[in-house]
């Protein structure tokens, strides 16, 4: 596991965007005929990365025409036109500002009449592309990755998830601070779906994520902290800011600062 510590959220976001851009460019330069497959999250963590990627596109440095995307999750029962649906979020913050092809965008259908079938089809479509090359994600204060709340199986696949009261309270800030307006269920990729990706890049920022970062890096592998499954991945990267490092031991903090001195993409 790599842990890349940056001074603040803005620098963390730029580092992550530079890393993603480099991977897309290297894939295109390799002559491989299949598109680059990118897994994407929603929430506050990736907004800075999306802004940086849009800047690169607008500057003519990066194209997304050969990129296929799969989003992590979507609220169940929320139409995509709702301003808090993740379909809306992704188009508002990213897709509408770059040249990704509409047919290459994959987001779970929160209005499906067959949730289990929708999730099964999603897994099958990921597999049809040969899997995901790079899955970017963020984690919650309790370490949940996508909507895989504590005690979700670490081998879970895409499926229906019940949202905890804590998650609904946290997300209520987007619903007028009314928890009752937050859906009780979501469709979400599984921990196994994420860790099947060739690379996983997780963003962790802010003091409120410090315990989750420590559990991800220093704790044991446990269903209590679903983020800890990253310890078993051969190519997992944590991009974090200084504020999120408050619960790391001094030796761990110094180790990753030392090993990442020579910045590598």
């Amino acid at each position: 596991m790599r842990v890349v510590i940056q001074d603040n959220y803005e620098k963390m976001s730029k580092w992550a965007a530079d890393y993603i851009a480099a991977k897309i460019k290297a894939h295109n330069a390799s002559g491989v005929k299949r598109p680059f497959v990118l897994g994407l999250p929603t929430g506050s963590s990736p907004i800075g990365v999306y802004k940086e990627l849009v800047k690169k596109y607008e500057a003519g440095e990066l194209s997304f025409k050969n990129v296929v995307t799969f989003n992590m999750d979507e609220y169940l029962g929320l139409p995509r036109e709702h301003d808090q649906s993740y379909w809306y979020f992704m188009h508002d913050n990213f897709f509408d500002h770059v040249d990704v092809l509409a047919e290459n965008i994959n987001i779970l259908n929160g209005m499906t009449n067959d949730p289990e079938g929708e999730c099964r089809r999603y897994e099958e479509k990921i597999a049809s592309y040969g899997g995901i090359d790079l899955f970017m994600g963020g984690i919650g204060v309790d370490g949940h990755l996508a909507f895989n709340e504590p005690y979700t199986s670490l081998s879970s696949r895409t499926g229906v998830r019940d949202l905890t009261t804590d998650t609904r309270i946290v997300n209520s800030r987007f619903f007028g601070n009314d928890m009752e307006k937050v859906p009780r269920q979501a469709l979400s990729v599984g921990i196994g779906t994420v860790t099947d990706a060739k690379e996983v890049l997780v963003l962790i920022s802010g003091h409120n994520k410090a315990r989750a970062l420590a559990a991800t890096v220093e704790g044991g592998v446990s269903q209590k902290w679903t983020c800890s499954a990253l310890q078993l991945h051969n190519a997992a990267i944590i991009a974090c800011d200084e504020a999120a490092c408050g619960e790391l031991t001094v030796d761990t903090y110094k180790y990753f600062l030392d090993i990442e001195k020579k910045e590598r993409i």
Side-chain angles (χ1 to χ4, degrees):
M1 177 186 289
R2 291 179 65 187
V3 178
V4 179
I5 303 168
Q6 298 292 307
D7 292 344
N8 51 46
Y9 174 80
E10 289 73 23
K11 289 184 178 180
M12 178 199 77
S13 299
K14 186 177 186 308
W15 187 93
D18 288 346
Y19 187 87
I20 293 168
K23 289 295 177 176
I24 293 172
K25 290 177 181 178
H27 177 88
N28 291 340
S30 71
V32 176
K33 297 196 181 297
R34 63 182 285 274
F36 186 84
V37 185
L38 181 63
L40 296 173
T42 54
S44 56
S45 296
I47 289 177
V49 177
Y50 292 143
K51 287 180 178 178
E52 292 293 333
L53 290 174
V54 170
K55 285 180 186 178
K56 291 179 183 297
Y57 165 71
E58 291 176 340
E61 300 173 8
L62 186 63
S63 172
F64 295 89
K65 285 184 177 178
N66 194 39
V67 175
V68 170
T69 67
F70 284 90
N71 261 79
M72 278 189 157
D73 40 33
E74 179 60 280
Y75 286 116
L76 191 58
L78 211 61
R80 69 184 195 178
E81 296 80 11
H82 192 288
D83 63 4
Q84 293 307 317
S85 77
Y86 290 155
W87 189 98
Y88 187 99
F89 175 97
M90 288 304 305
H91 285 78
D92 188 46
N93 286 284
F94 186 50
F95 294 146
D96 287 349
H97 309 286
V98 296
D99 61 347
V100 63
L101 303 177
E103 60 267 29
N104 287 344
I105 296 171
N106 295 280
I107 302 176
L108 286 154
N109 178 13
M111 295 301 291
T112 179
N113 292 321
D114 179 15
E116 296 297 339
E118 172 70 5
C119 294
R120 186 172 58 254
R121 286 189 292 272
Y122 207 66
E123 286 277 346
E124 290 170 353
K125 193 165 186 182
I126 291 172
S128 75
Y129 284 100
I132 291 174
D133 293 299
L134 172 62
F135 219 135
M136 177 171 67
I139 63 174
V141 295
D142 60 2
H144 71 256
L145 188 59
F147 273 127
N148 296 291
E149 305 279 21
Y151 305 106
T152 302
S153 168
L154 300 185
S155 61
S156 58
R157 312 305 303 186
T158 304
V160 180
R161 302 288 189 266
D162 295 322
L163 306 187
T164 64
T165 299
D166 285 346
T167 293
R168 294 177 67 225
I169 288 172
V170 169
N171 288 1
S172 68
R173 69 190 189 276
F174 302 118
F175 291 82
N177 292 312
D178 184 352
M179 188 186 77
E180 293 306 313
K181 292 182 180 178
V182 182
R184 295 176 180 274
Q185 292 183 310
L187 304 179
S188 174
V189 296
I191 294 296
T193 313
V194 175
T195 56
D196 273 355
K198 296 178 181 67
E199 290 188 271
V200 182
L201 169 61
V202 171
L203 312 170
I204 306 179
S205 65
H207 292 289
N208 64 330
K209 302 286 181 71
R211 284 187 66 220
L213 175 59
T216 305
V217 176
E218 296 179 329
V221 177
S222 167
Q223 290 180 325
K224 181 177 180 181
W225 296 91
T226 55
C227 55
S228 67
L230 296 176
Q231 294 180 28
L232 303 176
H233 198 283
N234 287 329
I237 304 173
I238 305 294
C240 61
D241 61 10
E242 286 281 351
C245 294
E247 296 290 332
L248 292 177
T249 61
V250 173
D251 284 348
T252 298
Y253 175 79
K254 286 183 176 180
Y255 169 81
F256 284 112
L257 280 182
D258 178 66
I259 207 74
E260 293 288 342
K261 271 181 184 175
K262 294 180 179 179
E263 186 168 321
R264 48 201 173 103
I265 290 294

